[in-house]
Amino acid sequence: MEAAGVPRDSRRAPAQVSLRSEARLIERLQRGAFEYVTRYTNARNGLVADTSRAGSPCSIAVVGFALCSRLIAVERGWSSRRAAAALVLRTLQFFWESAQGAGTHATGYKGFYYHFLDMESGRRVWDCELSLIDSALLVAGFLCVREYFDGMGKDEASIRKLADALYRRVDWCWAQNGAPALTQGWHPDSGFLHYGWEGYNEALLIYILGLGSPTSPLPRDSFIHWTLTYQWERMLGQDVLYSGPLFTHLFPHAWIDLRGIRDAFMREKRSDYFINTCRTVAVQREYCERNPREALGYSRDVWGISAGDGPVAHGSAEFAKDHRHFGYMARGVPFGPDDGTLCPWAMLATLPFTPEAALIGTRTLLARYPQVCPQNRFVSGFNPTVNADSGGWLSAGWYGLDQGLLVMMIENARSRLVWSLMRRAPEVRRGLRRAGFRGGWLS
Amino acid sequence: MARSQRTAATRRKKTYDLVIIGAGPGGLAAAEFAARLGARVALLERERLGGVSLNTGSVPSKSLIRSATLFAAMREAARLQQPAQAEPVADLQRVIARLRRMQRRIGGYHSEARLKRAGIELHYGAARFVDERLIATNMGRFPFHHALVATGAGPTRPQIPGLIEGSYLTSDTIFGLEKLPEHLAVVGGGALGCELAQSFCRLGSRVTIIQDEAGFLPGEERDAAQVLAQSMARDGVTIRLNTSVTGARVGKAEVVLRTQNYGRTAEVQADRVLVSIGRTPCTDGLSLESAGVRADTATGIAVDEFLRTSNPRVYAAGDVCLRHRYANVAERTARIAVHNCLAKGRPMRHTALTIPWCTFCAPEIAHVGLQVWQARNEGIPIRTFTVMMQDIDRAILDRQDVGFVKLHSTGRNDKIVGATIVASRASEMINEVCVAMSTGIGLRELADVLHIYPSQSDAIRIAAMDLDEPLAPG
Ligand SMILES: Cc1cc2nc3c(=O)[nH]c(=O)nc-3n(C[C@H](O)[C@H](O)[C@H](O)COP(=O)(O)OP(=O)(O)OC[C@H]3O[C@@H](n4cnc5c(N)ncnc54)[C@H](O)[C@@H]3O)c2cc1C
C-alpha cells in the first residue's frame, strides 16, 4: 500500500493500540452496530428503518448498507448464509416489484428510488425527493450482494439475477437532465432539483457506478466536469482535496478500494483518495485540538465532525447569539458549520485509514462519555457543550446510516471484504477506468 | 463668409469634445479627467449628482451597515455589563439622518460648484441620442465629437404574480424608510440582499431572506457563502435557501409571499418586502438605435475591450455595460474610455484590469483575481493556501475570528493569481493582495514582509509562509 504523503502518525499503529490489541472492542462495536440492522429490518420486504425512533420510515441508503452488512454477518458467524440470502432476496424482490413511475406515491422512477419509503408498503413518504446519492448507496449494495452470493442454490442465483437487473435498470444519463454533470435528484412535483454536486464529496460513488453502467453509462466528461469544481488546498498543515463533513469522504470508501489508484486529478496532485481521507482525519484532529469555537470535549483524541443529529437552536441568551444548533445536518471543518456537536461513530469509521487515531479516539471518547454508546451502538450526535451539567446533549436512539457504515468500515479494516467483493465487479472496474483511474489494483 | 459656412463653423465651435450621459462615479470621473485634458465637456444628469453609488448604493448602504455594526457591538458589550442591559433597538430616523449627513459630506467632493470650477458644463435632464453625433435633453442639444454613456443600472423588477409595483422596496427606496420594519422579508441572496438583510436584523427587525439557489452569493467561493450563511443565522436572520417566491398577496399592512422549496409550498408574512434579484442596465429612453449603438436589455451596451460601442464615436463605462457592477470599476473604466477617445498614446484595455470586490456583510467577503473554479476551467494549475481567521491572534482578540484568507498561486511558481478573504475587514485586507498582484510580488516575498503584530492582515503573511512549509504530522 502506498504510504507516501499519509500523515506520519497514521502510517503504522504503535504497539499499544492496534487492530489486534483492540480486537475485542472492535468486534463488540461492529456486532453492536449490526444488531441495529437486525432489529430495525422489516423481514417481510427487507426495508430498514432510517432511525430507531417510533414511526421512522425506511431510508434506502440504510437498506444499501444493510444488504452489505448481512453478508458481513455471515462471514463473522452472526447469521447463517441461508437466512441472509433469503432476506437479501426478499429485499431485491421488493425493489424489483415495487412501483416505478413519475407519480407521487411510487417507490422509484427511472431505476432510482425515493429517499424515504413507508416501512410496510414501500411507497414514497414525507414528500421526499428521488435521491441520487441514496439510490447509489442502495445500488452499491445490490452489486455487493451479487458478488458475494456466488453459490449454486436457487436463492443465490436469483440474487445475482435480480441485483444485476436492478443495477441495469438505473437510467444514470437521465439524471444529468441534459447538463454535463449530475443533478442531486428529482421531485415529482417540481422536477429536477436545480442544483448539482459542487466540490468533492460522496458523489464520487454515484459517478463510478454511473460510468460503469452497461445500459445507461454516464459520459466520461461528466466526471471531468464535476471534478472541475474540486478545491485542493493547504490547510491546517495538510494538502487536501477539501470536503468538510467526514462522511462525504467515507461513503465512497465504504464500498470501493481507492488505495493506490488515481484519477487525473490525483495524479496531478501526487495523492490518492485514500491518502486524502487520512489527511482529512489529520485536519479534523488538528481542528479539534485548536478548538476555535471553544466547544467542550474537543481534543486531538476526541474528534469526528460529520453529518448527524444535534440540538436545535438553544434559547439562552449566550447561545442564541454565539452558537446555533442545527438539528440533523452536515457539519464540517474548518469552514463549518460547527456547533460543538460530535458524531461519536465517526472516529471508529476511519479505522481502515488511520487505525491508531481511530482507536485512541474511540477509547478516549468511551472512557470520558460512555453514554454515547448505549447497547454497544453509537448514537448519531453528542454535544458536550449543551446541557453540560447533565452530561451533554445526546441524540435519542440510533441512526441506521451510522450503524451500516460502521459495520462496513470495520470489516474493511479487518478483512478488506467489501473492497475485495467490489473489486470483482466488472462494472466498478469499468466505472473507475472511465473516470480515469489507473494504477494499483486496476493495472 | 457664406451663411451656410458660418453655421457650420458655429456648430463646430459648439460641438463638445465629450458629452457624458450620467453623473454617477463613472460619469463624474470621466468629466473631471476629460476637463483636465483640456477638453470641452458637457455632463448630463437626469436626477442627482453621484449616481447610484452616492444616493442609493455604496454610500447609504455602508453607512447603514456601520450603524448596524454598532448595534451588534452593543449586544456584545451588554454581555460584559452588570446589570444586564435591555436589548438595544435602533431609531431608524436617526440612523437615516446620520446617513444623509455622510452622503452630503461625501457628495461635496463632486459638487456643482467644483464641477463648474473645473470647467465642466453640467446640465440636468434625461438625455437621448438624436443621431450619431447629437444628444438632446428637454433643455438643449449637445453635438459631440465623442460621447460616453455612463447611465448605470437599476434594480431588476420582479415577475412575481401578485407583487405589484409599490408593494415592495428596492435599493432605490429602502433608504427612504422612516420606521424600522417589524418583519422584513428579503427576496434574493446576492450581495445587496445579504448586506441589507443582515443590517436590518442587527438594527432590530425580524428578517427572513429567501434565496432560490443552494447558497448565497452565487459565483463567489463556496466556503465564503457557507461562512456567511452561518454568520447570518447567528445574527438571527431566518434563512430560506433553495426557495423560490411563486406568488404574493398584498394586504393593508402586510405582504404574504408564497414560497416553494423542493416542491413544498409555504408562506412568509412580512410588513415589508425588499426585492433584490439583480440589476438591469439603464438603456431605456436613450434611443441608442438612433446613434447606431447596439445594446441588450439584460447585459446592457455592447462594448469592445477598449470600451467602444458599435458607434466608434460613442463609448460606454460602468454598470451600463460591464458585468462587474462596482463603483471602483465604473470610475476606472470611465477614465479608460476618456483616455481612449481623447488622449494620445496607446489605447487601454478594460479587460486587463485586476478587479477586487467586496460584499460588506459581517464578515466581509472580498475577492480579487481568479476563482478556483475559473482556474480549473481554464486548465491553470493553481495551489491554494488557506489560513483560518480563528487562528489569527488579532482576530481572536477582536472577537472577529470568523472567516479565512485563501491565496491562490500558480502551480509552477509563487506568483499570486487570486485571493478570497472572509474577515471583518476583508475590504481593507484584500488591497494588500491587489498591490502584490499588480506589482508582481510573489508569495515568498510577501512572507518576508514584516507585518504588525497583532493584526488581522498578518493572516496574509501567514498564508504566504505555507508555500515552503512541510506537511504537518497527522
Ligand atoms: C445597495 C447598493 C450597494 C452598493 N454597494 C457598493 C459598494 O459597496 N461598493 C461598490 O464598489 N459598489 C457598490 N454598489 C454598486 C455601485 O453603486 C455601482 O456600481 C456604481 O454606482 C456604478 O456607477 P455608474 O457610474 O456606472 O452608474 P450609476 O452610479 O448608476 O450612475 C448613473 C447615473 O446616470 C443617470 N442616468 C441614467 N440614465 C440617464 C439619462 N437617460 N440621462 C441622464 N442621466 C441618466 C442616473 O440618474 C445616475 O445618476 C452598490 C449598489 C447598490 C445598489
Side-chain angles (χ1 to χ4, degrees):
Chain A
M1 189 177 79
E2 163 106 46
V6 175
R8 211 176 303 144
D9 71 347
S10 58
R11 283 186 198 164
R12 73 198 137 77
Q16 67 271 30
V17 277
S18 66
L19 282 163
R20 186 176 303 178
S21 73
E22 297 293 338
R24 285 180 53 191
L25 173 73
I26 293 169
E27 167 89 9
R28 179 158 62 82
L29 295 174
Q30 191 185 17
R31 178 103 198 234
F34 178 69
E35 289 299 322
Y36 176 94
V37 176
T38 317
R39 237 164 100 177
Y40 297 99
T41 294
N42 178 348
R44 282 182 297 282
N45 54 18
L47 297 187
V48 190
D50 182 40
T51 75
S52 64
R53 295 174 189 167
S56 165
C58 155
S59 152
I60 54 162
V62 178
V63 178
F65 284 133
L67 284 170
C68 183
S69 303
R70 295 191 205 289
L71 60 90
I72 293 170
V74 175
E75 291 300 300
R76 290 278 150 216
W78 306 329
S79 142
S80 77
R81 185 166 177 128
R82 255 177 81 161
L87 188 48
V88 165
L89 181 58
R90 276 200 295 283
T91 314
L92 302 186
Q93 277 164 342
F94 162 76
F95 281 101
W96 184 246
E97 286 157 17
S98 63
Q100 286 267 321
T104 51
H105 293 296
T107 298
Y109 183 44
K110 301 276 182 190
F112 295 97
Y113 301 93
Y114 287 104
H115 189 170
F116 296 110
L117 305 176
D118 182 87
M119 281 293 288
E120 287 302 327
S121 70
R123 287 174 181 271
R124 169 179 182 253
V125 294
W126 283 355
D127 206 13
C128 65
E129 81 283 9
L130 193 81
S131 164
L132 254 69
I133 180 60
D134 295 287
S135 295
L137 292 164
L138 176 61
V139 170
F142 296 158
L143 289 184
C144 197
V145 292
R146 187 191 71 185
E147 295 306 316
Y148 180 75
F149 288 105
D150 54 0
M152 301 299 285
K154 215 172 104 219
D155 276 7
E156 298 205 8
S158 304
I159 286 175
R160 292 194 292 277
K161 205 169 129 221
L162 271 181
D164 204 53
L166 284 160
Y167 173 59
R168 285 166 171 266
R169 186 165 77 173
V170 185
D171 190 349
W172 305 93
C173 296
W174 168 78
Q176 290 178 277
N177 189 26
L182 283 168
T183 59
Q184 291 213 3
W186 180 86
H187 195 281
D189 296 323
S190 48
F192 280 102
L193 305 183
H194 67 286
Y195 50 92
W197 297 93
E198 279 247 0
Y200 172 59
N201 52 38
E202 69 276 26
L204 181 59
L205 180 69
I206 319 177
Y207 275 100
I208 294 170
L209 295 179
L211 285 158
S213 165
T215 50
S216 173
L218 288 173
R220 282 171 205 267
D221 63 2
S222 62
F223 182 72
I224 304 295
H225 204 87
W226 174 53
T227 59
L228 285 178
T229 66
Y230 277 15
Q231 276 174 240
W232 179 260
E233 290 182 38
R234 166 70 67 96
M235 58 168 69
L236 275 64
Q238 304 295 327
D239 279 335
V240 284
L241 171 56
Y242 169 73
S243 178
L246 205 46
F247 86 94
T248 57
H249 295 265
L250 301 181
F251 276 14
H253 287 289
W255 306 92
I256 295 170
D257 186 357
L258 292 158
R259 291 172 302 165
I261 58 173
R262 297 166 170 184
D263 61 359
F265 182 86
M266 284 301 181
R267 279 194 292 277
E268 179 192 315
K269 302 301 180 194
R270 297 171 200 278
S271 185
D272 68 36
Y273 289 92
F274 183 88
I275 292 171
N276 197 59
T277 301
C278 297
R279 290 181 183 174
T280 299
V281 167
V283 168
Q284 288 246 342
R285 297 183 77 194
E286 181 66 27
Y287 177 89
C288 286
E289 183 171 26
R290 294 184 191 187
N291 191 10
R293 306 264 82 87
E294 298 171 48
L296 291 183
Y298 284 22
S299 73
R300 191 163 202 81
D301 290 328
V302 177
W303 44 277
I305 295 172
S306 189
D309 193 22
V312 264
H314 201 255
S316 83
E318 179 64 19
F319 275 100
K321 290 296 168 199
D322 279 349
H323 299 265
R324 211 175 154 90
H325 304 285
F326 306 87
Y328 191 94
M329 67 171 300
R331 299 170 178 81
V333 295
F335 300 111
D338 166 25
D339 63 351
T341 304
L342 292 163
C343 292
W345 49 267
M347 290 186 289
L348 191 58
T350 65
L351 198 58
F353 308 92
T354 49
E356 184 198 358
L359 290 169
I360 292 180
T362 303
R363 275 269 180 232
T364 312
L365 181 74
L366 289 174
R368 282 196 202 144
Y369 306 109
Q371 68 271 35
V372 300
C373 197
Q375 300 176 41
N376 294 320
R377 268 197 291 288
F378 286 107
V379 299
S380 169
F382 172 55
N383 190 317
T385 313
V386 175
N387 305 339
D389 296 341
S390 50
W393 180 94
L394 201 62
S395 168
W398 302 279
Y399 279 60
L401 272 184
D402 315 340
Q403 310 307 325
L405 179 69
L406 260 186
V407 175
M408 289 170 62
M409 280 307 202
I410 293 174
E411 195 56 38
N412 278 330
R414 294 177 88 180
S415 69
R416 320 273 186 250
L417 174 66
V418 188
W419 288 346
S420 330
L421 289 171
M422 295 299 270
R423 276 163 68 154
R424 291 212 307 242
E427 299 88 343
V428 170
R429 288 202 302 275
R430 183 173 125 90
L432 285 166
R433 288 213 181 90
R434 293 192 68 232
F437 281 85
R438 304 273 181 277
W441 61 266
L442 266 179
S443 308
Chain B
M1 203 188 286
R3 198 194 151 114
S4 64
Q5 277 175 323
R6 249 197 335 263
T7 20
T10 325
R11 201 170 137 183
R12 251 197 318 278
K13 235 165 76 195
K14 280 213 132 187
T15 300
Y16 293 89
D17 296 316
L18 182 65
V19 176
I20 301 165
I21 312 180
L28 286 167
E32 284 161 358
F33 183 39
R36 230 178 312 134
L37 293 175
R40 184 158 179 245
V41 184
L43 177 61
L44 314 180
E45 168 57 50
R46 70 174 174 197
E47 284 177 47
R48 287 170 288 177
L49 285 181
V52 165
S53 186
L54 177 67
N55 298 297
T56 57
S58 334
V59 170
S61 71
K62 264 75 266 177
S63 168
L64 191 86
I65 287 168
R66 174 63 194 154
S67 297
T69 308
L70 291 177
F71 279 86
M74 277 194 277
R75 289 189 191 99
E76 189 184 327
R79 281 191 236 124
L80 305 176
Q81 276 178 308
Q82 189 64 270
Q85 303 294 301
E87 178 79 356
V89 177
D91 174 348
L92 192 68
Q93 282 190 353
R94 290 180 193 222
V95 170
I96 298 291
R98 196 169 105 120
L99 177 160
R100 297 285 176 233
R101 286 199 302 278
M102 292 169 173
Q103 272 177 322
R104 274 195 295 279
R105 270 187 65 185
I106 294 172
Y109 293 102
H110 301 283
S111 64
E112 288 179 19
R114 280 177 189 270
L115 294 175
K116 197 167 168 199
R117 278 208 301 278
I120 297 160
E121 271 185 40
L122 172 66
H123 298 271
Y124 285 101
R128 63 184 188 283
F129 284 91
V130 178
D131 63 33
E132 286 172 358
R133 301 182 63 165
L134 182 64
I135 292 172
T137 69
N138 286 345
M139 309 296 284
R141 292 160 77 80
F142 304 88
F144 61 82
H145 290 300
H146 286 103
L148 174 69
V149 187
T151 48
T156 302
R157 304 281 154 195
Q159 305 289 324
I160 299 169
L163 197 64
I164 43 174
E165 193 75 31
S167 65
Y168 62 90
L169 301 160
T170 66
S171 58
D172 278 356
T173 50
I174 195 155
F175 302 108
L177 276 182
E178 292 185 341
K179 206 170 127 268
L180 200 62
E182 182 96 19
H183 184 184
L184 176 71
V186 178
V187 181
L192 310 185
C194 289
E195 286 181 3
L196 291 167
Q198 194 179 35
S199 297
F200 274 93
C201 176
R202 290 178 153 203
L203 290 170
S205 292
R206 202 149 57 79
V207 176
T208 304
I209 183 163
I210 305 165
Q211 159 78 330
D212 65 358
E213 308 242 354
F216 294 126
L217 310 181
E220 206 67 77
E221 161 97 33
R222 219 173 36 249
D223 304 315
Q226 165 74 26
V227 170
L228 175 60
Q230 290 165 51
S231 292
M232 299 228 291
R234 253 197 300 278
D235 271 325
V237 176
T238 305
I239 295 170
R240 297 271 174 272
L241 293 173
N242 285 316
T243 304
S244 28
V245 179
T246 54
R249 235 179 19 251
V250 180
K252 257 207 191 106
E254 87 291 315
V255 180
V256 180
L257 299 175
R258 234 183 350 272
T259 63
Q260 194 165 55
N261 163 266
Y262 280 94
R264 269 160 288 192
T265 51
E267 288 191 342
V268 175
Q269 181 176 338
D271 55 331
R272 291 294 192 159
V273 173
L274 166 70
V275 176
S276 177
I277 53 170
R279 314 271 303 161
T280 304
C282 294
T283 51
D284 270 5
L286 284 171
S287 295
L288 291 169
E289 58 294 342
S290 316
V293 173
R294 267 203 301 277
D296 171 282
T297 10
T299 53
I301 295 179
V303 288
D304 65 12
E305 57 198 319
F306 304 108
L307 295 158
R308 209 164 35 188
T309 70
S310 47
N311 173 345
R313 292 177 179 278
V314 179
Y315 286 70
D319 282 13
V320 75
C321 60
L322 299 174
R323 195 166 50 87
H324 290 105
R325 299 199 174 109
Y326 304 102
N328 55 349
V329 177
E331 224 181 286
R332 175 59 69 86
T333 53
R335 281 166 189 273
I336 292 177
V338 171
H339 169 91
N340 290 350
C341 62
L342 296 182
K344 300 201 173 59
R346 286 243 301 269
M348 291 163 68
R349 289 181 165 81
H350 79 92
T351 42
L353 291 176
T354 299
I355 299 174
W357 65 80
C358 183
T359 298
F360 292 78
C361 284
E364 295 178 348
I365 294 167
H367 179 83
V368 62
L370 280 182
Q371 300 272 18
V372 178
W373 55 265
Q374 274 175 326
R376 289 196 48 71
N377 272 302
E378 290 167 27
I380 303 168
I382 62 163
R383 301 182 64 190
T384 300
F385 299 92
T386 303
V387 163
M388 302 300 294
M389 292 309 288
Q390 61 213 17
D391 296 321
I392 300 302
D393 294 0
R394 178 60 186 272
I396 295 171
L397 295 167
D398 290 345
R399 262 187 128 256
Q400 293 174 338
D401 64 343
V402 173
F404 55 80
V405 168
K406 287 193 193 192
L407 300 181
H408 310 307
S409 77
T410 46
R412 275 174 235 102
N413 50 38
D414 73 338
K415 183 180 168 197
I416 304 169
V417 291
T420 295
I421 300 182
V422 180
S424 61
R425 283 284 173 183
S427 55
E428 307 285 347
M429 290 164 70
I430 199 84
N431 292 330
E432 176 177 345
V433 184
C434 295
V435 171
M437 284 173 68
S438 329
T439 53
I441 294 174
L443 286 177
R444 284 195 182 87
E445 276 176 284
L446 201 53
D448 273 346
V449 176
L450 266 181
H451 283 57
I452 293 289
Y453 177 85
S455 64
Q456 294 204 19
S457 57
D458 204 20
I460 297 171
R461 182 187 62 88
I462 293 171
M465 277 173 60
D466 253 352
L467 178 71
D468 292 322
E469 284 287 308
L471 293 191

